[in-house]
Amino acid sequence: MATDDAASRELAPTGKLRVAIAVGPSASALWTVRDPATGRPRGVPVELGTAMAQKLGVPVELVEYASSGEIVASCNKSAWDVTFVPVDDDRKKAIDFGAPYHLLQSTYLVAPGCAIKTLAEANRAGVRIAIVDGTATGRASVSASPNATTVKVKTPDEAVEMMKAGKLDAIALSRESVGGLVDGLPGSRVLEEAFLNSTTAVAVPQNKPAARAFVTEFIEEAKASGLVRRALDMMGLKSSQVAPAGMKA
């Protein structure tokens, strides 16, 4: 009970669990989408955050951002209590990760009519690659394709519009996200190779040890009970892989 009380104080200081989510055009383990009927966000982080709030016994409040980069950038503003984002070394300096719940791969969506078929071909002068600014995938793309021209955007929607206008050769996103964009960009293709192999994990602001312990235990239980698998499947992400039990971020 003492541990639960400490977790409640650190995780829900306002009496609510404020879950930071990224809203985009296609679903992934990170990205949520808007329900066409209600306009409300739905997705894996919403399901996990809602279940976490229920376990804590507090209401859930969704705090919306344009990207995971914006979520992490706001970590010191007391705007959110927990989030679910891809892991990389830069982010470990800003937030405290708990357990991973998803095995992440990031790759390129290649524009219609573009001849790029491999990562090596993407890493060439004159190739225009869009990244969502401040994201783990974006940083990995810059490292993987230093010879290409990186075009920073604020949201995936912005990148999609640029590709439709013929201003991009590729978009860097998670494999689930680019897969969800293909139908809206007839003739586009997803590369087989990946330039980032990481995880998506639960995270809290720094220096909240009870909160970190609680969310880690919650994710391990959510993997064991099938909650993570069901949340992925509900969003059509049936090929997405749940992270193994006990895996560290």
Side-chain angles (χ1 to χ4, degrees):
M1 180 64 69
T3 300
D4 288 347
D5 286 347
S8 294
R9 287 194 300 272
E10 290 184 1
L11 260 181
T14 65
K16 298 179 287 187
L17 182 66
R18 299 169 298 172
V19 181
I21 60 170
V23 183
S26 62
S28 72
L30 154 72
W31 292 99
T32 66
V33 295
R34 294 203 183 279
D35 188 295
T38 66
R40 296 173 182 169
R42 57 188 297 266
V44 177
V46 175
E47 294 299 308
L48 296 179
T50 300
M52 187 182 293
Q54 291 172 348
K55 183 173 181 178
L56 275 173
V58 298
V60 66
E61 177 183 331
L62 302 178
V63 185
E64 298 181 22
Y65 291 89
S67 70
S68 60
E70 288 194 3
I71 292 173
V72 177
S74 66
C75 63
N76 294 322
K77 298 179 181 179
S78 299
W80 55 266
D81 304 308
V82 67
T83 192
F84 305 87
V85 294
V87 178
D88 75 356
D89 289 340
D90 278 23
R91 288 181 174 170
K92 289 180 179 180
K93 300 172 185 175
I95 56 179
D96 285 342
F97 283 101
Y101 61 94
H102 165 253
L103 298 181
L104 169 70
Q105 272 200 340
S106 293
T107 188
Y108 292 127
L109 178 68
V110 179
C114 181
I116 294 171
K117 296 181 180 179
T118 65
L119 288 180
E121 291 174 353
N123 183 27
R124 291 178 177 173
V127 174
R128 302 160 298 175
I129 301 175
I131 67 168
V132 180
D133 194 21
T135 62
T137 290
R139 285 187 286 273
S141 173
V142 172
S143 295
S145 301
N147 296 320
T149 299
T150 295
V151 181
K152 294 182 179 181
V153 297
K154 291 185 177 180
T155 67
D157 298 275
E158 184 182 347
V160 169
E161 292 307 311
M162 291 182 69
M163 183 169 280
K164 288 180 178 178
K167 297 179 180 179
L168 292 175
D169 300 299
I171 299 173
L173 285 169
S174 71
R175 190 170 293 280
E176 294 99 332
S177 294
V178 293
L181 297 177
V182 169
D183 289 345
L185 291 161
S188 63
R189 294 174 290 107
V190 179
L191 290 192
E192 291 292 330
E193 296 173 280
F195 59 79
L196 173 64
N197 288 280
S198 184
T199 59
T200 314
V202 66
V204 295
Q206 289 184 327
N207 302 315
K208 295 190 174 186
R212 185 181 190 179
F214 183 94
V215 300
T216 296
E217 181 181 355
F218 171 85
I219 289 297
E220 292 298 340
E221 291 176 356
K223 290 188 291 189
S225 70
L227 173 60
V228 174
R229 181 74 267 164
R230 291 192 298 273
L232 290 164
D233 291 349
M234 180 187 72
M235 300 307 297
L237 304 172
K238 297 185 181 296
S239 63
S240 296
Q241 293 183 278
V242 177
M247 188 177 189
K248 303 299 182 183

